[in-house]
Amino acid sequence: MRLSQFLDTNADIVRVSLCRVRGSSPREAGAEMFVTPNGLHGTIGGGQLEYMAIDQARKMLGSGRDFDRMDVPLGPEIGQCCGGRVELALQRMTQADRAQALAADAEGQAARPDVYVLGAGHIGRALARFFQFLPVRCILIDSRPEELALVDAKVETRLTPMAEAEIRAAPPGSAFIVLTHDHALDFLLTSEALDRRDAAYVGLIGSATKRMKFARFHQSHAAQSDCTRLICPIGDTSSPDKRPEVIAASVTAQVMSVLTTAQSEDVKLTI
């Protein structure tokens, strides 16, 4: 359920915010969840800490209090072993708070990085199934309508014979995963993605041999960039399992690791 729907369908809500973190904790400062007498949206990391915060929020709802704070050591005394300490702010939400939460949610949605899956075959569709649940905007692109018709994930699909134009128009910081039905097209699209220079991730399905062939192709076409940033093969190459779902799971983890590390570095630069 989207936050907007949750707020619209609940009259009395306490927002629980992780406002200070010392040492290790399940979530970072700024993490939030929204608690009603019978519902919950979001998470501050689960475990006993979250259970205690939900209980405290519901006591607030029952008593009529508008604000509370919690200072919780994450040690054996509460059955957690993070070793840190967190402070929580609990606030009964006003209309202004709801508007602020919706604005922050919309800003977060808009800031989600784009992941372009270029090729809607078995692995492309499996990737879409994973990415639909993650904090990214997944766009699945192919020139074959019959393949796009098989997509069952809630992601954006684009039918086009000019996927390179989609790469050129992508926003900075996008990720590109190239796995089309045609090696020549793979090489063309991978070159376009590398030439962007501002891509967070460029991955090409294949082997070490395919990578070497691509490097020769890229160099012979007067490319604007080298291949050092290219990930090929993609995913965890230590596994012998080549089922589409297994490959997709490995690639998804790799892409999310790159994207979240980049986002973390961006946050550090703005502090």
Side-chain angles (χ1 to χ4, degrees):
M1 181 186 293
R2 293 290 299 271
L3 178 60
S4 56
Q5 184 181 355
F6 182 83
L7 296 180
D8 285 344
T9 54
N10 289 281
D12 206 5
I13 305 174
V14 169
R15 175 168 55 191
V16 181
S17 304
L18 193 58
C19 54
R20 187 182 182 193
V21 173
R22 286 168 282 174
S24 178
S25 77
R27 288 291 306 275
E28 68 287 351
E32 293 182 331
M33 67 179 180
F34 302 87
V35 183
T36 70
N38 300 300
L40 179 68
H41 189 284
T43 179
I44 56 169
Q48 187 67 10
L49 171 66
E50 185 162 298
Y51 175 83
M52 292 168 60
I54 294 170
D55 183 59
Q56 191 73 5
R58 288 179 175 154
K59 287 178 179 177
M60 283 179 58
L61 291 170
S63 68
R65 286 181 293 121
D66 292 331
F67 184 78
D68 205 349
R69 294 189 75 88
M70 298 174 66
D71 186 347
V72 185
L74 304 176
E77 57 267 42
I78 70 162
Q80 291 198 212
C81 56
C82 296
R85 194 179 191 100
V86 300
E87 294 179 26
L88 305 174
L90 293 80
Q91 175 76 50
R92 187 187 296 268
M93 298 184 74
T94 64
Q95 287 302 318
D97 292 330
R98 290 168 182 257
Q100 181 187 48
L102 287 173
D105 183 60
E107 183 178 346
Q109 293 286 339
R112 290 184 170 199
D114 287 6
V115 176
Y116 289 79
V117 179
L118 299 143
H122 293 293
I123 298 174
R125 296 195 299 272
L127 281 166
R129 294 187 197 106
F130 286 112
F131 281 123
Q132 69 179 324
F133 300 115
L134 294 169
V136 299
R137 176 178 175 236
C138 179
I139 303 101
L140 185 55
I141 299 173
D142 207 300
S143 61
R144 301 167 296 170
E146 66 277 11
E147 295 297 322
L148 289 175
L150 297 174
V151 176
D152 54 9
K154 293 182 179 179
V155 300
E156 182 177 344
T157 59
R158 296 181 187 172
L159 175 65
T160 176
M162 297 287 290
E164 59 270 31
E166 301 290 342
I167 294 173
R168 293 170 195 159
S174 295
F176 302 95
I177 309 169
V178 183
L179 25 68
T180 78
H181 59 292
D182 181 272
H183 277 221
L185 181 58
D186 279 352
F187 286 5
L188 171 65
L189 299 182
T190 303
S191 276
E192 287 285 351
L194 286 173
D195 285 346
R196 283 291 307 259
R197 295 179 181 270
D198 58 5
Y201 176 97
V202 180
L204 170 64
I205 196 167
S207 60
T209 300
K210 186 172 180 179
R211 183 190 180 101
M212 289 188 294
K213 289 181 178 179
F214 170 77
R216 291 195 292 270
F217 166 88
H218 193 58
Q219 185 176 22
S220 68
H221 285 70
Q224 301 173 32
S225 59
D226 60 31
C227 297
T228 56
R229 294 185 300 114
L230 175 64
I231 308 298
C232 181
I234 52 177
D236 181 5
T237 58
S238 65
S239 173
D241 197 321
K242 302 302 181 184
R243 284 175 291 180
E245 295 80 8
V246 176
I247 294 172
S250 173
V251 174
T252 300
Q254 186 178 68
V255 172
M256 292 308 300
S257 177
V258 172
L259 291 178
T260 53
T261 300
Q263 289 174 328
S264 177
E265 291 302 318
D266 287 344
V267 169
K268 290 178 183 177
L269 290 173
T270 59
I271 295 176

